[in-house]
Amino acid sequence: MLRTLDEKVSRAHAALLVVDVQNDFLDTGGAFAQIGRDVTTLHGMVSRLELLIEQARRAGVLVIFVQYCHNKNTESEVHVEQRMRGRAGMPICQEGTWGADFFKVAPQPDDLIVKKHRYSAFVGTDLDVILRSSGIRSLILTGVATNGCVEATARDGFMNDYYIVFVDDCCACYSAELHAATLTNITDAYGIVVSSDDVVASWRA
């Protein structure tokens, strides 16, 4: 049983997941900016995340980039209906487009990329197989949106018996209230909430 933060973020069995840090969600020319979301409020988080990713690599922690992408064969009727209600019908992260590319962060040769078509990185992907084959027991969660794909992945990770370490200042969404609500959800039922400084200090120790 892993009880302490040091145990949970140990390079022996932890993976850093970078969820959906992509142009359509974060760039001022991306889809979310075009429908009126203030994406610039998320940019400070990305700067901190870049540092955390670099520290993870130095510590020998597995880094996995999760990339949301769609094509004409992956959007269900339910998914399209939700998109049309909430995002003015605009497609997002279409496979092979600039919008689906990573924003400011970039995978290195030793990093892994998992492409997904639903909010959770566990649905319809080989993430669970990759994690178990690599001896991973803990997931360090970062990315966007806090209350959307990051939380969905954290919930499914917990349901699949992974320890969840949710990095508060390396996650972001377009509402401070929703960000805070997710942190409460995680603490109450799914894992622990920490800062990037806490994680890095543990790796350095």
Side-chain angles (χ1 to χ4, degrees), residues 6-203:
D6 287 350
E7 291 171 336
K8 291 177 180 178
V9 302
S10 168
R11 66 181 179 181
H13 47 242
L16 176 67
L17 269 60
V18 182
V19 179
D20 297 1
V21 182
Q22 295 166 254
N23 289 329
D24 266 348
F25 298 126
L26 289 154
D27 196 276
T28 54
F32 269 44
Q34 292 181 46
I35 62 172
R37 299 285 178 89
D38 183 5
V39 298
T40 60
T41 61
L42 283 64
H43 291 180
M45 177 280 290
V46 178
S47 297
R48 291 187 294 274
L49 178 57
E50 289 179 291
L51 296 175
L52 182 63
I53 293 169
E54 181 57 33
Q55 291 297 324
R57 291 174 180 142
R58 290 181 182 180
V61 172
L62 178 64
V63 179
I64 301 176
F65 285 79
V66 178
Q67 185 177 27
Y68 192 55
C69 57
H70 273 294
N71 58 53
K72 65 180 181 180
N73 299 314
T74 62
E75 286 197 290
S76 69
E77 177 182 290
V78 171
H79 192 275
V80 172
E81 192 272 340
Q82 171 65 26
R83 171 163 61 77
M84 292 178 69
R85 283 191 294 113
R87 300 179 188 131
M90 179 176 290
I92 58 170
C93 297
Q94 294 296 294
E95 198 161 8
T97 68
W98 169 86
D101 289 344
F102 295 109
F103 176 81
K104 291 193 175 180
V105 298
Q108 297 299 308
D110 289 337
D111 302 335
L112 301 180
I113 300 174
V114 171
K115 293 188 176 183
K116 67 181 177 71
H117 309 300
R118 296 295 181 266
Y119 293 168
S120 170
F122 284 93
V123 174
T125 75
D126 56 2
L127 177 60
D128 189 50
V129 171
I130 290 171
L131 296 172
R132 296 192 188 281
S133 298
S134 302
I136 300 300
R137 300 175 65 191
S138 301
L139 306 181
I140 305 167
L141 270 296
T142 68
V144 298
T146 307
N147 64 310
C149 295
V150 187
E151 182 173 354
T153 300
R155 286 172 178 253
D156 281 353
F158 176 81
M159 298 300 182
N160 281 282
D161 294 325
Y162 294 100
Y163 292 96
I164 300 300
V165 178
F166 206 95
V167 187
D168 178 0
D169 59 340
C170 285
C171 296
C173 69
Y174 311 96
S175 161
E177 291 78 13
L178 292 177
H179 179 86
T182 288
L183 301 184
T184 299
N185 287 340
I186 296 299
T187 301
D188 282 353
Y190 300 104
I192 60 173
V193 175
V194 300
S195 72
S196 57
D197 285 344
D198 294 332
V199 176
V200 172
S202 180
W203 288 335

